[in-house]
Amino acid sequence: MDYDDLQVDLVMEVEIINDTSEEELLEQDVSPSSSSSPSPILQIENNEPNFLQFDENSENRTPSPICSASSSNQDPPIKVESPAKRRKVSSDDEDGALCPICLDNWMSTGEHRVCALRCGHLFGYKCITRWIFSNKSCPSCKMKASSSDIRYIYANKLIAMDATELELVKKKLNSVIEEKNRIKVDLTKAICKEHTLLQEIENYKKKIKNLSITSSSSHTNSSTKPVLKLSNSSLVCQQGTCRVMDINSQIGKFAISLKSNNNLFPGFGIKKCSTDNLAIVEYTPLHSKVIRDLKFNHSSSYLLSVSLDKSIKISDLNSNSTISTYTFDSMLWSCCWDESNQNLFYVGSQQGATTKFDLRNMSEPVKSTKVTGDWSPVVSLVSIPSCRGGLMPLGGFITCKLNSMWCYENMGGSVYRKQQIPIEGPFISMSYNKDINQVLISARPNSRVPNSRHFVCNFERLPNEENFKFNTLYTFYGGQLQKQLSRSRFLQHAGYTYVTAQVNNTISLWNVNNGSNSSVLTNNSILDLMPLKNCNDSYLLALSEKKLDFYKFQNCT
């Protein structure tokens, strides 16, 4: 047999072996036959059979076939081993490069290129195509599969790396990162708490300094304590329905809200009083239900009033006429005029909304603001005037709700920046002294503090900071019982600024400059307080449900 005939026979034998399953090859014993040529032993590597080998010792290096044939009947039987048995993986690096079906290397192209099923397992394309044709499932996980689920993987070689240790390291890293973030949060809280404590220490230092100054000067100067004496008392309403009052010194009048005692004019209105002779002049009907708040316009004789009948009214006290009326969608509790523009005003509703109006166009509001999560009523409103180069160049307003307080800074037009004032309620009233830029906030007793509190605060803006910093300068403590929403006020006398409020059965005055306190007895439950200057005399007006008491400042002792 010449070389060409042997090569043809070897090719035919390789095709026969490829068409035979591995199990049949493992069990098949090939015995020599006397009538045919012996079958050669084949060795195939990487799907490229090497049919010839060279004799290195031969000078001519003539190729000789790998297979050996013998016509002797005594030769041992030749057994053909399967590719799975003949290929032995010597290292773990080859594990990801073998087809799980034929345990042969897959290719990047050709019939045995690497592909995957929906379940993610990888196979040679030719092997998995034959398998699915008969089994309809994944050889590895037995998940149902079809020929349409086969997807080519475009890679030259795939090797699955053992990522167990990497995943453990990642978990430990994530745990360390979480612990680091938690420590950062705790550190931030600690820094904020430290800042708060340092601020309290500074406030206490100021108080101690002021008290030391007061105690040292009390022996040489006793004129810092004012003396009040009841000068006059007027019966305003026999039914006991008085609620609030306000004063306009420019027109020489002040107004008191009450219920009408005339059946011909039912409802609620005001009684006008003269600041010259302190006499009650006349009654003017305004609303059908209780008036919750009223404010004078300082540039005119206009009076702004809001009521539980959901209406806003602007009245001219000189002509006793109604200038404008607007019906709101909820009950109204508070109001104030804009200090920068007397054509604008604000009203606070029972639903917690603060709404801005323009007197020149009362058909609709200019702006409405709400605090998400706090729907408590707005018990008091104050306007902060605009000041070029000041804290609020374009002005703003402060909303005092029953449960929280908010400062709104005007950023231009109807755009406001909101910031909460960090003081604990529930709140009773609020007033603002623009001369000293201080806010007086009164709060009821709560579960933590058994006494009513009156806070004197100012606010400042730190460099490179958008928000304000609110400082509590003084905290004055009142009684443990607060039945009504009585109002506290700022007042000035003899060059000093005082805070006045009812404490139990007394009207107390605290000196904001040095913290000293003086009081006067009263038998009435005070609802509103108001300072009044008449010629050379100074008075403190105290409104109860029925009467208006006039307390006159006496010569100090």
Side-chain angles (χ1 to χ4, degrees):
M1 179 183 298
D2 57 6
Y3 175 76
D4 294 334
D5 295 335
L6 177 59
Q7 185 175 4
V8 171
D9 291 341
L10 287 174
V11 173
M12 293 176 62
E13 188 66 17
V14 169
E15 293 178 352
I16 293 173
I17 291 176
N18 288 338
D19 294 336
T20 306
S21 63
E22 293 185 5
E23 291 77 4
E24 292 175 353
L25 289 175
L26 290 173
E27 298 176 357
Q28 181 179 359
D29 292 332
V30 182
S31 300
S33 176
S34 58
S35 61
S36 61
S37 300
S39 300
I41 298 176
L42 303 178
Q43 293 183 356
I44 304 172
E45 183 68 14
N46 291 334
N47 292 336
E48 296 179 1
N50 296 325
F51 300 108
L52 303 175
Q53 65 180 3
F54 294 91
D55 187 359
E56 296 180 356
N57 298 326
S58 176
E59 295 180 356
N60 297 328
R61 299 183 60 88
T62 57
S64 62
I66 296 175
C67 58
S68 62
S70 177
S71 59
S72 176
N73 295 330
Q74 295 180 357
D75 290 339
I78 299 174
K79 186 171 183 177
V80 179
E81 296 179 352
S82 66
K85 293 296 184 179
R86 281 185 271 109
R87 175 174 298 276
K88 294 182 179 180
V89 180
S90 60
S91 64
D92 294 337
D93 294 338
E94 297 182 3
D95 190 27
L98 302 180
C99 172
I101 298 177
C102 67
L103 297 181
D104 200 358
N105 289 329
W106 43 47
M107 306 299 176
S108 60
T109 58
E111 294 183 349
H112 204 253
R113 67 183 299 176
V114 61
C115 61
L117 296 178
R118 284 190 304 170
C119 56
H121 291 106
L122 303 178
F123 308 95
Y125 178 77
K126 184 175 181 180
C127 296
I128 193 59
T129 303
R130 290 182 178 181
W131 179 276
I132 289 180
F133 181 76
S134 58
N135 293 279
K136 305 298 182 182
S137 64
C138 174
S140 299
C141 64
K142 304 304 179 183
M143 179 179 177
K144 290 183 178 180
S146 62
S147 59
S148 61
D149 297 329
I150 301 175
R151 297 291 184 270
Y152 288 133
I153 303 297
Y154 296 94
N156 293 330
K157 186 175 183 181
L158 291 176
I159 297 177
M161 303 298 294
D162 186 1
T164 304
E165 294 184 0
L166 179 61
E167 291 299 325
L168 291 176
V169 172
K170 285 183 178 180
K171 289 182 180 179
K172 291 181 180 179
L173 178 61
N174 292 335
S175 177
V176 172
I177 292 175
E178 291 178 359
E179 182 69 16
K180 177 183 176 182
N181 293 335
R182 186 186 63 80
I183 293 174
K184 282 186 177 180
V185 172
D186 294 341
L187 179 61
T188 303
K189 291 181 179 179
I191 292 174
C192 294
K193 187 175 181 180
E194 179 188 13
H195 180 74
T196 303
L197 293 176
L198 290 175
Q199 184 64 38
E200 291 182 1
I201 291 173
E202 291 297 325
N203 292 335
Y204 282 124
K205 286 182 179 180
K206 292 180 181 179
K207 291 181 181 180
I208 292 172
K209 183 178 180 180
N210 292 331
L211 290 175
S212 62
I213 295 174
T214 302
S215 60
S216 62
S217 61
S218 60
H219 300 286
T220 58
N221 185 11
S222 61
S223 62
T224 57
K225 279 193 175 184
V227 177
L228 289 175
K229 183 177 180 180
L230 182 62
S231 173
N232 188 18
S233 182
S234 300
L235 180 65
V236 180
C237 181
Q238 186 66 38
Q239 297 174 331
T241 58
C242 296
R243 183 65 186 90
V244 292
M245 63 179 174
D246 196 27
I247 294 178
N248 190 339
S249 57
Q250 293 185 358
I251 63 175
K253 294 179 182 179
F254 61 93
I256 303 172
S257 69
L258 73 164
K259 184 178 181 180
S260 173
N261 57 2
N262 190 342
N263 294 331
L264 297 178
F265 301 98
F268 292 79
I270 59 168
K271 277 191 175 181
K272 295 181 289 185
C273 307
S274 173
T275 58
D276 296 331
N277 54 15
L278 306 181
I280 299 175
V281 181
E282 58 183 328
Y283 172 81
T284 301
L286 293 177
H287 297 272
S288 60
K289 291 185 179 181
V290 176
I291 298 175
R292 293 291 307 187
D293 199 5
L294 50 87
K295 290 290 190 301
F296 272 106
N297 189 316
H298 298 299
S299 62
S300 65
S301 59
Y302 290 168
L303 178 68
L304 170 65
S305 60
V306 293
S307 169
L308 297 183
D309 63 1
K310 304 181 182 180
S311 66
I312 304 169
K313 281 196 176 182
I314 300 175
S315 307
D316 189 347
L317 295 193
N318 286 337
S319 61
N320 290 330
S321 60
T322 300
I323 303 300
S324 182
T325 302
Y326 184 87
T327 302
F328 209 68
D329 56 358
S330 62
M331 297 181 182
L332 299 173
W333 278 49
S334 56
C335 63
C336 74
W337 291 93
D338 193 306
E339 291 289 341
S340 303
N341 186 348
Q342 291 294 300
N343 290 317
L344 305 176
F345 62 90
Y346 305 89
V347 297
S349 70
Q350 187 176 358
Q351 303 299 326
T354 302
T355 307
K356 182 179 180 181
F357 286 88
D358 192 333
L359 179 62
R360 295 161 295 187
N361 182 15
M362 292 288 292
S363 59
E364 59 181 359
V366 176
K367 176 75 174 179
S368 181
T369 60
K370 294 182 180 180
V371 177
T372 304
D374 184 6
W375 308 105
S376 58
V378 180
V379 297
S380 186
L381 285 168
V382 296
S383 173
I384 308 297
S386 60
C387 178
R388 181 176 297 178
L391 293 176
M392 293 188 185
L394 300 179
F397 64 93
I398 299 177
T399 297
C400 178
K401 308 187 73 175
L402 196 62
N403 297 324
S404 63
M405 292 192 62
W406 300 85
C407 177
Y408 292 85
E409 181 184 3
N410 192 343
M411 306 304 296
S414 298
V415 179
Y416 288 86
R417 181 165 57 198
K418 178 178 64 175
Q419 180 182 352
Q420 186 173 7
I421 300 177
I423 296 180
E424 184 180 6
F427 301 103
I428 305 170
S429 66
M430 173 184 61
S431 60
Y432 175 70
N433 189 327
K434 63 181 179 180
D435 296 329
I436 57 177
N437 189 32
Q438 292 180 355
V439 182
L440 172 61
I441 304 167
S442 299
R444 283 182 174 182
N446 55 30
S447 58
R448 197 178 64 86
V449 183
N451 296 80
S452 60
R453 294 146 293 148
H454 307 281
F455 304 96
V456 178
C457 307
N458 69 353
F459 48 97
E460 59 181 346
R461 174 168 283 157
L462 299 178
N464 301 324
E465 293 287 340
E466 291 185 354
N467 293 333
F468 293 105
K469 178 184 178 184
F470 292 89
N471 302 314
T472 302
L473 304 179
Y474 293 98
T475 301
F476 304 113
Y477 291 92
Q480 297 184 355
L481 186 63
Q482 189 76 38
K483 295 181 179 180
Q484 296 174 323
L485 295 177
S486 61
R487 297 185 175 186
S488 57
R489 297 282 185 179
F490 278 116
L491 66 88
Q492 292 181 332
H493 175 68
Y496 291 94
T497 302
Y498 296 90
V499 169
T500 178
Q502 183 178 20
V503 179
N504 298 327
N505 60 342
T506 64
I507 299 175
S508 294
L509 280 83
W510 291 279
N511 192 319
V512 174
N513 302 92
N514 53 37
S516 62
N517 173 259
S518 61
S519 60
V520 60
L521 292 174
T522 179
N523 296 324
N524 303 317
S525 178
I526 304 301
L527 298 175
D528 202 354
L529 295 164
M530 188 70 64
L532 171 65
K533 289 186 178 181
N534 181 8
C535 297
N536 296 325
D537 296 326
S538 296
Y539 293 90
L540 176 63
L541 308 186
L543 179 66
S544 60
E545 292 180 341
K546 293 183 178 181
K547 297 193 303 179
L548 179 64
D549 295 330
F550 298 84
Y551 291 92
K552 186 177 180 180
F553 286 89
Q554 303 294 313
N555 293 327
C556 300
T557 58

